[in-house]
Amino acid sequence: MDIFVLSRSISTYLNHDLSYLHKDGSENEHIYFSGDIVQQSISLAPEIAKAEQERHTDKKHKHMASVRQLTNRLYSNCRRLEKCNSNGKDYIPLLRRELKTFKKLQHTWMLTL
């Protein structure tokens, strides 16, 4: 839940800086990554719950793989957002640090399932 709250706060902060249009009428490509981190962080909790509740090993592994993939995408999008031209990018290392902690917990959690 901390990852979700943090990613939503960062996205909201970044949207103010990234929502403008360039002189040629194009939009900033980083605006989409800010939405992606929110969407991916929202998807983490339901996938974890599904893995916990699943009785069949193969389906459990499917949900665990989904959690791993979401975490990796989230981390990757954080790296992309660090390249944007916004003051909000200073908060992205906080989210990346939280994701590193989550990955360690995720590894332990996967071993217990």
Side-chain angles (χ1 to χ4, degrees):
M1 293 311 292
D2 290 338
I3 291 172
F4 168 67
V5 171
L6 191 55
S7 64
R8 189 173 69 185
S9 299
I10 290 171
S11 178
T12 301
Y13 191 84
L14 288 174
N15 278 337
H16 293 292
D17 291 342
L18 301 177
S19 61
Y20 65 89
L21 294 177
H22 296 287
K23 292 180 182 179
D24 64 356
S26 64
E27 55 192 3
N28 191 320
E29 73 253 2
H30 294 104
I31 192 83
Y32 297 109
F33 298 131
S34 67
D36 288 346
I37 64 171
V38 174
Q39 190 63 31
Q40 290 157 355
S41 64
I42 287 173
S43 300
L44 277 175
E47 285 298 320
I48 291 169
K50 288 176 187 175
E52 288 281 335
Q53 295 170 353
E54 194 60 58
R55 293 180 184 224
H56 300 288
T57 306
D58 56 334
K59 291 182 182 179
K60 193 175 287 222
H61 286 288
K62 177 184 168 191
H63 293 296
M64 290 188 308
S66 180
V67 170
R68 189 179 318 115
Q69 186 179 24
L70 285 167
T71 307
N72 289 340
R73 281 193 210 151
L74 199 53
Y75 197 81
S76 175
N77 285 330
C78 285
R79 281 195 313 242
R80 290 178 179 148
L81 283 171
E82 284 180 336
K83 297 176 186 174
C84 73
N85 188 19
S86 170
N87 292 335
K89 70 180 182 181
D90 297 336
Y91 298 105
I92 294 177
L94 295 172
L95 181 56
R96 284 181 64 184
R97 207 171 314 129
E98 198 68 34
L99 286 169
K100 283 182 182 180
T101 303
F102 179 74
K103 282 184 175 187
K104 290 177 185 175
L105 293 171
Q106 178 184 349
H107 179 72
T108 306
W109 168 73
M110 291 172 96
L111 292 174
T112 62
L113 293 178

